[in-house]
Amino acid sequence: MNRRRRAAALTVICALAVLASPALTLQASAAPLPPPPPKKSLEEVRKEMDGLYRQAAVATDAYNLAEEKAEEQSAEIVRVNRMLTEGREKIEDLKLKAGVAARSQYRNGGLPEGAQLILTNDPQLFLDAAGRIKDGAKATKDLLAEMTRTQASLDVYAKEASDHWTKLEANRVRQAKAKKEINEKIDAAKKLESELAAEERERLRRLEELAQKEAQKTWLRAGALKGLKAEATAEGRKAVEFATAQIGKPYGWGDEGPDSFDCSGLTQSAWGAAGLGIPRTSQEQWRLLPRVDVQDMRPGDLIVYFKDASHIGMYVGNGMMVHAPRPGRNITLAGAGSMEILGVVRPAGAVSPAGR
């Protein structure tokens, strides 16, 4: 009996040892937890946020351009459909005229009305009838030619409508892709800022202002305003008045007012108020508008920033510009040299008073 108890006890002890050994092994081999990543400095956060907002600005330009192209294609589809409708109506009218001519021939035994008069012995009637036959033949030929031309035009319009529809759909896809990228970049930037304490957010704002002021000082020390005395044109003054009247309104990507604007929406709307249409995006404004040297800049001219032309503001004089900075910020005055300047453009038609 004792031998059986001892055997059972040994069995239990061995089983416990087997169960316990994996836990002991895991405990012994468990690697220490990695140290938490070092906390980013506010300057690092600022630069990372700037990069994200810059990427969002580039995507905003892509969105705005796709939207503009989509509107153009929609207008073209409307125009082509109107031409198709008119062409179909014209074809129906020509068919009706052809039917009338065919019925007339049928009533005359397959001959035109004038052809029957050829059988007369009267020379004058014969000549008159021959003239009418010639005119009738020409009219029939012209009718058939017009029907052919109209049908060919309808074929062209149908292809145009199909092409415009394809382009419209492609631009809608580009819009959706750009919108997704914009939201992702802005959300990432907001997340970075939301992880900061209130005091740190205020310090971050002061760091942004300090970086802009330092850039402006460097720009001025380089003699940017030396000899800069050009006056605004009447149109330029109107554009500046409109742009500065928007100060305090929020930035809104893809917005053209009246309650919010993105950077190029502000410049386009300002020059629109001055009576001149300019392209929608900062990149298109840089690409298509006449360029002027910084030393020849005058109020109303547009300053394009960064190598990718992803930001734009309007020069208002005294080394200052007005712009819509980025999401989370309001339209404001800032130093014209507070960011990396790519170049300056002047909306076409804004001639100087002396040049008139």
Side-chain angles (χ1 to χ4, degrees), residues 13-23:
I13 290 169
C14 289
L16 289 173
V18 170
L19 290 171
S21 80

Side-chain angles (χ1 to χ4, degrees), residues 114-115 117-118 123-137:
L117 295 177
I118 292 179
Q124 186 59 47
L125 287 176
F126 176 85
L127 290 174
D128 292 343
R132 286 196 293 274
I133 290 172
K134 184 178 179 181
D135 291 343

Side-chain angles (χ1 to χ4, degrees), residues 293-314:
D293 191 86
V294 174
Q295 299 298 326
D296 297 324
M297 186 167 57
R298 63 175 180 238
D301 287 349
L302 307 179
I303 308 175
V304 185
Y305 294 97
F306 307 117
K307 290 182 176 64
D308 54 8
S310 57
H311 191 67
I312 196 164
M314 179 180 289

Side-chain angles (χ1 to χ4, degrees), residues 8 12 46 48 61 67 70 72 91 112 128 136 148 171 174 192 219 233 251-252 256 278 295 307 315 328 338 340 353:
V12 171
R46 183 186 72 80
E48 189 172 349
D61 254 14
E67 182 180 46
E72 288 175 5
I91 283 285
D128 292 343
T148 302
N171 282 314
R174 280 193 284 270
L192 276 175
W219 184 66
T233 62
Y251 176 101
E256 305 169 46
I278 64 173
Q295 299 298 326
K307 290 182 176 64
Y315 185 63
S338 59
E340 176 193 352

Side-chain angles (χ1 to χ4, degrees), residues 229-237 298-299 346 349-356:
K229 297 178 181 177
E231 295 182 1
T233 62
E235 295 87 350
R237 282 193 295 273
R298 63 175 180 238
R346 177 170 296 159
V351 297
S352 65
R356 290 184 175 180

Side-chain angles (χ1 to χ4, degrees), residues 9 21 61 66 85 97 126 132 246 249 264 294 329 339:
S21 80
D61 254 14
T85 301
K97 289 178 179 177
F126 176 85
R132 286 196 293 274
Q246 312 312 311
K249 292 183 179 180
S264 56
V294 174
R329 296 288 185 264
M339 292 174 286

Side-chain angles (χ1 to χ4, degrees), residues 81-94:
N81 280 337
R82 185 171 62 248
M83 299 297 288
L84 276 168
T85 301
E86 291 174 358
R88 290 190 185 107
E89 290 174 353
K90 187 173 182 180
I91 283 285
E92 290 303 315
D93 182 59
L94 291 170

